[in-house]
């Protein structure tokens, strides 16, 4: 049963913003499966990547002499989009998926939870989530999130091997 599904379009102007979502998980749910993807995963054109990398090196190099510890902007290619997902259930923080992968599946049951998340005492109830747009480096980035509740006695349609 699909509890939540939405697609978004982001641009670099959305960097350092959060996108909230919420859903209610019904009783007798055996598994909660969140499938999240975004595309493209990175800006790969070197000429477009180098100016922001140079700017970041100048801003965050802690005032060290770059001639003494050379850092080449080309060593930081490509510039990856970074979007993370966090969850809470009825106001209790359940964890965060801080991943670089552009295609992610996170499964929670009463016995186990995807890495980065706490095993929930109960699945049913009100859940809140947040997509943290740490960096949108491409001119456009499409995101999609689906939250599925698997009733007791059924299997999820989602791939759980990613």
């Amino acid at each position: 049963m699909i509890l939540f599904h939405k697609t978004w379009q982001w641009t670099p102007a959305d960097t350092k913003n959060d996108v909230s979502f919420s859903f209610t998980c019904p009783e007798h749910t055996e598994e909660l499966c969140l499938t999240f993807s975004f595309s493209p995963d990175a800006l790969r054109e070197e000429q477009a990547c180098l100016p922001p990398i140079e700017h970041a090196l100048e801003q965050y190099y802690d005032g060290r002499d770059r001639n003494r510890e050379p850092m080449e902007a080309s060593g930081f290619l490509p510039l990856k989009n970074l979007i993370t997902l966090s969850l809470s259930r009825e106001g209790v923080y359940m964890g965060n998926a801080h991943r670089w992968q552009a295609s992610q599946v996170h499964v929670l049951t009463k016995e186990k939870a995807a890495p980065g998340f706490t095993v929930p005492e109960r699945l049913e109830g009100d859940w809140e989530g947040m997509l943290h747009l740490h960096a949108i480096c491409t001119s456009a980035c499409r995101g999609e999130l689906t939250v599925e509740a698997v009733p007791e006695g059924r299997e999820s349609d989602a791939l759980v091997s990613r």
Side-chain angles (χ1 to χ4, degrees):
M1 162 191 327
I2 303 295
L3 303 179
F4 181 89
H5 178 83
K6 187 164 182 176
T7 60
W8 294 270
Q9 281 286 89
W10 300 303
T11 69
D14 295 306
T15 292
K16 296 183 181 178
N17 282 302
D18 295 324
V19 177
S20 62
F21 62 93
S22 61
F23 57 92
T24 300
C25 188
E27 290 185 23
H28 309 293
T29 296
E30 187 169 299
E31 180 178 289
L32 191 59
C33 182
L34 292 91
T35 305
F36 174 60
S37 63
F38 59 92
S39 180
D41 68 331
L43 179 62
R44 299 186 187 287
E45 298 80 24
E46 187 170 340
Q47 293 308 312
C49 292
L50 292 178
I53 292 171
E54 268 305 324
H55 175 73
L57 286 173
E58 290 171 14
Q59 185 175 1
Y60 298 112
Y61 205 69
D62 296 331
R64 288 182 253 170
D65 182 1
R66 283 183 62 190
N67 292 323
R68 293 184 68 192
E69 289 183 64
M71 290 192 118
E72 295 298 324
S74 61
F76 294 92
L77 297 173
L79 279 180
K80 294 185 70 95
N81 289 327
L82 177 58
I83 305 167
T84 62
L85 182 150
S86 64
L87 283 175
S88 59
R89 190 186 149 284
E90 298 181 351
V92 177
Y93 179 71
M94 299 303 295
N96 187 307
H98 208 279
R99 317 265 196 285
W100 285 107
Q101 291 85 2
S103 182
Q104 307 172 19
V105 176
H106 309 288
V107 176
L108 293 93
T109 71
K110 290 180 249 182
E111 292 82 34
K112 64 180 181 172
F117 295 99
T118 303
V119 175
E121 203 173 284
R122 296 180 356 211
L123 293 173
E124 62 273 356
D126 295 326
W127 290 74
E128 306 82 33
M130 195 78 67
L131 296 174
H132 307 277
L133 309 178
H134 298 279
I136 304 297
C137 301
T138 54
S139 61
C141 181
R142 181 182 183 275
E144 183 172 8
L145 174 66
T146 302
V147 179
E148 177 187 11
V150 180
E152 291 175 353
R154 289 201 36 221
E155 291 187 22
S156 171
D157 295 330
L159 298 174
V160 292
S161 61
R162 296 184 200 178

